[in-house]
Amino acid sequence: MKKLALLLWLPLIFACGGNSSEKPESENILENLTLAIDTVVVDPKGEIIDLGYGINRSSISSDSRTLYFFDMRKTVINEIDLDKLELIGSYPFSKEGPNAVGFNPPSIQSLANDRFLIISPLINVGTYTKNGQKEKSLKFNFKEIEGLGVDEEGLITNRITLSHDEKLMFALTRLDPSEKEVRLLIINPNAKTGKSIELPNMLQTLKLTLLLRLEEQKRIARTGENIWLRTINEALHITSSVTSDLYVYDYKKDSLRLVEFDHQLVPKKKTGDFESNVFTDEKEFEDAMEKQMNQVAFRELIWDDQRKQFFRFGYRPIKDAEGNWYKRAEVYLFVYDADLKLLGEKFLPELTNVPEFTFFKDGKLWSYVNVEDELGFAVIDFKF
């Protein structure tokens, strides 16, 4: 196990939190941040854990003790004990037949009692048992859910997640650059009823999703801005890669709250001055993409149950000599209390790229790393 101790210092810089919270005291809790990084590797017990597609379509159990790693080539969920750091089970699923999960690469959400929500974009949504049996279909067409009030057709599969009690299903409308609004879909799957709520502060995500269409070459390219839905502490949190703004939907009270931050280290959102986000000229597309990439992006919220605080990373990619954007980045850390009041922000010069697939376990931040084609994690201990 390798261990690296880092001491980071920053002058006192502080910003206040969202629109519904009071101005915090003039103290940045990250001012004297120290951190130590351990690297740990999972024992595959003689099996091959295929990391060719990374692990972003995997899921962590609610107690952060188990990683469910989805192997897309084998259509298998591997169960990894994060205390013992070893593979303890593999469970095959089907791409076709009555228990099919779908052919498009699925994402999974760990549920109670060894069950999973599995979403195959545009093809299938359902809950499944660990032994690969489909328990319940959640495959709905827009037209069959009464009350949504959106003019879309096809299956509802975009960014689907479930409430903690599985009584509600959440999704987003189509995230196409040509769309004029972003709406949250709130669905009662048993009653097949629902509603939608506009998310105006998420619209910038679509405006900054750049699309290149070359008709003669039959080629399409696009940039990768994103919106995430995540259920934390019995509320739905909606975040975007282009803005620090976020929404919290309290589904018990049926209330939506916008939270905005006055960050001091980074701009609160990305900007773009191009006339259209749809391009037919490759050079113009690349110029616009470079302007967009050279701005700070944001990641999802991460909840630390020991501290009762939210963490979030921001990062600005650095272009290398070969024109690659994702090998290095400036990395920023933001910390918020349970009510999303901003407590501190920090530039982390010793981190050369933003951590991937992050979660807290026992008060330490875990993030995925590939260690010579073995599944590993960087375990970061923040002290402040």
Side-chain angles (χ1 to χ4, degrees), residues 60 63-66 81-85 302-306 358-366 379-380:
I60 296 293
D63 61 3
S64 298
R65 299 291 169 193
T66 306
D81 186 318
L82 294 175
D83 290 325
K84 298 179 180 179
L85 288 170
I302 317 162
W303 173 250
D304 178 4
D305 198 51
Q306 278 199 2
T358 52
F359 57 95
F360 272 93
K361 178 181 181 296
D362 300 326
K364 297 180 181 180
L365 182 78
W366 289 49
V379 182
I380 306 176

Side-chain angles (χ1 to χ4, degrees), residues 18-255:
N19 61 344
S20 61
S21 58
E22 297 178 359
K23 201 176 188 70
E25 297 177 1
S26 57
E27 181 182 357
N28 180 356
I29 68 169
L30 298 182
E31 180 183 3
N32 297 318
L33 172 70
T34 65
L35 59 86
I37 304 176
D38 289 347
T39 300
V40 299
V41 179
V42 171
D43 181 356
K45 295 297 182 180
E47 300 294 328
I48 296 176
I49 299 178
D50 186 354
L51 301 176
Y53 295 102
I55 70 169
N56 284 331
R57 295 184 180 275
S58 303
S59 182
I60 296 293
S61 62
S62 59
D63 61 3
S64 298
R65 299 291 169 193
T66 306
L67 168 70
Y68 295 102
F69 171 78
F70 191 87
D71 185 323
M72 288 191 284
R73 288 190 176 96
K74 297 179 181 178
T75 320
V76 165
I77 291 180
N78 294 307
E79 183 177 2
I80 294 163
D81 186 318
L82 294 175
D83 290 325
K84 298 179 180 179
L85 288 170
E86 62 184 36
L87 177 69
I88 61 173
S90 295
Y91 312 103
F93 286 75
S94 303
K95 286 187 177 180
E96 53 188 353
N99 296 308
V101 297
F103 284 92
N104 283 343
S107 57
I108 68 173
Q109 178 185 343
S110 171
L111 303 176
N113 303 318
D114 293 328
R115 297 156 50 250
F116 305 97
L117 170 69
I118 301 182
I119 307 106
S120 179
L122 305 176
I123 293 179
N124 181 60
V125 183
T127 59
Y128 293 77
T129 61
K130 186 189 282 187
N131 63 7
Q133 298 296 307
K134 179 180 280 190
E135 178 186 66
K136 183 178 182 179
S137 175
L138 297 173
K139 181 178 175 179
F140 300 117
N141 190 291
F142 279 91
K143 301 301 182 184
E144 66 180 298
I145 302 298
E146 182 181 350
L148 283 184
V150 296
D151 186 22
E152 283 200 36
E153 297 182 352
L155 296 180
I156 301 171
T157 63
N158 191 18
R159 307 301 191 273
I160 284 183
T161 190
L162 295 177
S163 60
H164 72 286
D165 56 10
E166 301 180 31
K167 292 182 179 179
L168 293 175
M169 184 172 84
F170 308 108
L172 293 176
T173 47
R174 185 172 57 239
L175 299 181
D176 188 273
S178 63
E179 296 296 324
K180 303 302 181 185
E181 63 179 5
V182 178
R183 300 190 74 86
L184 172 67
L185 308 179
I186 305 161
I187 298 167
N188 182 326
N190 292 326
K192 292 188 178 181
T193 59
K195 68 176 183 177
S196 66
I197 304 175
E198 186 178 1
L199 305 172
N201 284 47
M202 296 293 109
L203 183 58
Q204 186 76 351
T205 312
L206 301 190
K207 291 181 178 179
L208 292 181
T209 299
L210 310 182
L211 186 65
L212 171 66
R213 286 198 179 112
L214 299 177
E215 300 293 344
E216 293 183 0
Q217 301 176 28
K218 296 182 179 179
R219 178 184 165 200
I220 296 178
R222 63 185 294 167
T223 56
E225 302 300 351
N226 212 339
I227 299 175
W228 299 281
L229 305 184
R230 178 174 290 185
T231 303
I232 305 172
N233 299 336
E234 301 184 9
L236 182 71
H237 295 73
I238 307 164
T239 52
S240 165
S241 60
V242 307
T243 177
S244 61
D245 295 351
L246 59 91
Y247 287 98
V248 181
Y249 177 63
D250 185 334
Y251 46 83
K252 287 187 172 182
K253 298 179 180 178
D254 188 24
S255 65

Side-chain angles (χ1 to χ4, degrees), residues 222-363:
R222 63 185 294 167
T223 56
E225 302 300 351
N226 212 339
I227 299 175
W228 299 281
L229 305 184
R230 178 174 290 185
T231 303
I232 305 172
N233 299 336
E234 301 184 9
L236 182 71
H237 295 73
I238 307 164
T239 52
S240 165
S241 60
V242 307
T243 177
S244 61
D245 295 351
L246 59 91
Y247 287 98
V248 181
Y249 177 63
D250 185 334
Y251 46 83
K252 287 187 172 182
K253 298 179 180 178
D254 188 24
S255 65
L256 182 72
R257 176 168 68 110
L258 170 66
V259 187
E260 299 175 284
F261 304 100
D262 184 18
H263 286 294
Q264 301 298 301
L265 289 183
V266 300
K268 67 175 295 183
K269 66 179 64 176
K270 288 187 178 185
T271 60
D273 57 1
F274 33 83
E275 294 182 3
S276 171
N277 57 352
V278 180
F279 295 82
T280 57
D281 181 88
E282 189 165 7
K283 179 64 166 57
E284 292 179 0
F285 172 78
E286 290 176 351
D287 289 345
M289 182 179 68
E290 180 150 351
K291 290 179 182 178
Q292 180 184 330
M293 292 288 291
N294 198 31
Q295 300 183 63
V296 173
F298 298 88
R299 285 288 178 91
E300 297 176 82
L301 288 173
I302 317 162
W303 173 250
D304 178 4
D305 198 51
Q306 278 199 2
R307 290 187 178 91
K308 306 300 180 187
Q309 292 173 341
F310 289 99
F311 286 61
R312 192 180 191 184
F313 285 104
Y315 66 102
R316 187 182 72 84
I318 299 172
K319 189 176 182 180
D320 65 18
E322 286 75 38
N324 299 310
W325 282 98
Y326 293 103
K327 292 184 177 180
R328 297 188 71 250
E330 296 174 354
V331 181
Y332 301 86
L333 177 66
F334 314 107
V335 177
Y336 316 86
D337 69 11
D339 294 320
L340 288 167
K341 180 192 297 180
L342 182 61
L343 300 177
E345 50 186 337
K346 185 84 169 182
F347 171 53
L348 306 179
E350 282 77 2
L351 291 186
T352 58
N353 216 330
V354 63
E356 295 183 51
F357 194 83
T358 52
F359 57 95
F360 272 93
K361 178 181 181 296
D362 300 326

